[in-house]
Amino acid sequence: MHIETIKAYRLMQPFVEGRYNMSKGRGADGFDAVIVSVTSNTGLTGWGEMAPLGNFYSAAFAAGAQAGVAEIAPHLLGQDPRALTRLNRLMDTVFKGHPYIKSALDMACSDLTARAAGVPLVTMFGGRESDMADLYRVVTHGPVETMAANAKQIVSEGFHRLQVKVGGIVHDDIERVAAVAASVPKGTVIFCDANAGWSAYQARQFVDATREIDYTMEQPCVSIDDCLSVRRSLDKPMVLDESVTSLEEMLDIHRRGAADGLTLKISRLGGVTKTRQIRDLAVDLGFMVTVEDTGGAEVDTAAMAHLSLSTPEERRLHAIAFHEWVTVRTARNAPPVIGSRMGIPDGPGLGIDVDLELLGKPFLDASY
Ligand SMILES: [Mg+2]
């Protein structure tokens, strides 16, 4: 079997709830996604997706993803799409760095491989550990009263896990988290995600003033050194997200005892093949793990769901349903969301059925 055709489409995916805000004025109105199809000479097609969150979240941007996919795709034509490790090595050989441009291609080849084997991707990722994964919802950064009201609303919809955005002016963030915690029932799981917005000094001020509140701290500062220094005065669990950019970084975090949990983002790590490898090692090393991504709709959410459900329940933190964030429906048979939990679609591969009409004309159409 070999790769006969690669197509890539650009798709704007506006957010249902309007602007998504993080600290320091960072925000986005939607995902600007690249969706990739890889078709074999035997007529099988696999799908992949990559969408950055604006230009400010990870070292990735939409125009870069489009240009990168177009640049790297011709190297994959004629290759066996099922030779995933080899394909990843090839992509890293012909194009140094830039893992996010490789992610949708790796995802599409993985989908194709599982479809060829007649198994869902979750089976290829190590096997299904449970039927559904717990979802979290984000309370985006804003005025104290708005955040408390949003948290209350989310909980009233049946969710038990909140990620509260912090990382701005410390004293305001202390008020934000106190107001959110006071507005939700006891037992609601709260993550305070600073998105690397604080210095260690600021993070320590926040930690000291919020000792009475039950939460998990997520990525307070940019560097692992600063996060580790905060962790030394933290009496709560610490999760790192932005710092986990590769296998080497994950091992470094482990060696230095810098975190209890990790948020693995598929595109930041270069695709599902590498994410699966890092996930498996992280689980064996004792980390709690969330597998998610920087953005995307049904294709990307399905990939996240297959990786989440193949993560052992006792090591899994939570998942996110990005396809419910956006106003476009890119596929039928999307990952089912029941209450505050998400499953995987039935069927081989990702299990989804992409709506070709919605995608329109590809910006890349390359054949062997
Ligand atoms: Mg985060």
Side-chain angles (χ1 to χ4, degrees), residues 57 163 165 193 195 218 241-242 265:
Y57 180 71
Q163 187 196 75
K165 290 300 187 191
D193 188 359
N195 291 110
E218 182 163 333
D241 179 348
E242 282 89 335
K265 293 226 161 59

Side-chain angles (χ1 to χ4, degrees), residues 155-210:
V155 168
S156 77
E157 291 169 22
F159 289 85
H160 316 288
R161 306 182 71 92
L162 302 177
Q163 187 196 75
V164 182
K165 290 300 187 191
V166 291
I169 295 167
V170 174
H171 292 290
D172 297 345
D173 283 337
I174 293 165
E175 276 187 49
R176 287 183 172 100
V177 171
V180 165
S183 71
V184 298
K186 215 172 153 53
T188 304
V189 176
I190 296 176
F191 279 54
C192 289
D193 188 359
N195 291 110
W198 287 324
S199 63
Y201 183 96
Q202 291 171 309
R204 229 185 304 282
Q205 285 180 309
F206 178 87
V207 164
D208 194 45
T210 54

Side-chain angles (χ1 to χ4, degrees), residues 11-167:
L11 187 70
M12 301 303 291
Q13 302 170 346
F15 291 147
V16 174
E17 293 182 2
R19 198 166 176 79
Y20 177 89
N21 291 313
M22 288 169 25
S23 58
K24 303 196 163 175
R26 296 171 289 177
D29 299 306
F31 295 130
D32 185 349
V34 175
I35 295 179
V36 168
S37 71
V38 171
T39 303
S40 70
N41 60 317
T42 59
L44 282 171
T45 295
W47 291 92
E49 180 173 23
M50 188 278 152
L53 178 58
N55 295 338
F56 53 85
Y57 180 71
S58 58
F61 64 112
Q66 293 154 34
V69 165
E71 188 88 24
I72 211 163
H75 295 281
L76 302 185
L77 296 172
Q79 300 290 329
D80 186 339
R82 302 162 301 180
L84 294 163
T85 310
R86 187 181 132 77
L87 284 179
N88 271 275
R89 209 163 45 234
L90 175 65
M91 287 197 282
D92 287 341
T93 303
V94 299
F95 206 116
K96 192 168 178 64
H98 301 268
Y100 73 101
I101 68 169
K102 301 160 187 172
S103 187
L105 290 162
D106 169 69
M107 194 183 289
C109 290
S110 301
D111 181 26
L112 200 162
T113 301
R115 284 176 200 258
V119 296
L121 258 178
V122 71
T123 303
M124 249 174 58
F125 291 156
R128 189 172 182 145
E129 297 279 349
S130 67
D131 289 340
M132 309 283 275
D134 286 331
L135 291 169
Y136 75 90
R137 291 274 301 272
V138 180
V139 181
T140 73
H141 209 242
V144 175
E145 307 73 39
T146 310
M147 288 177 73
N150 287 348
K152 209 169 174 175
Q153 171 65 27
I154 292 168
V155 168
S156 77
E157 291 169 22
F159 289 85
H160 316 288
R161 306 182 71 92
L162 302 177
Q163 187 196 75
V164 182
K165 290 300 187 191
V166 291

Side-chain angles (χ1 to χ4, degrees), residues 128 130-133 301-302 305-306 309 334-338 341-345:
R128 189 172 182 145
S130 67
D131 289 340
M132 309 283 275
T301 304
H306 283 272
L309 287 181
V337 173
I338 300 166
R341 312 192 82 199
M342 180 166 70
I344 46 176

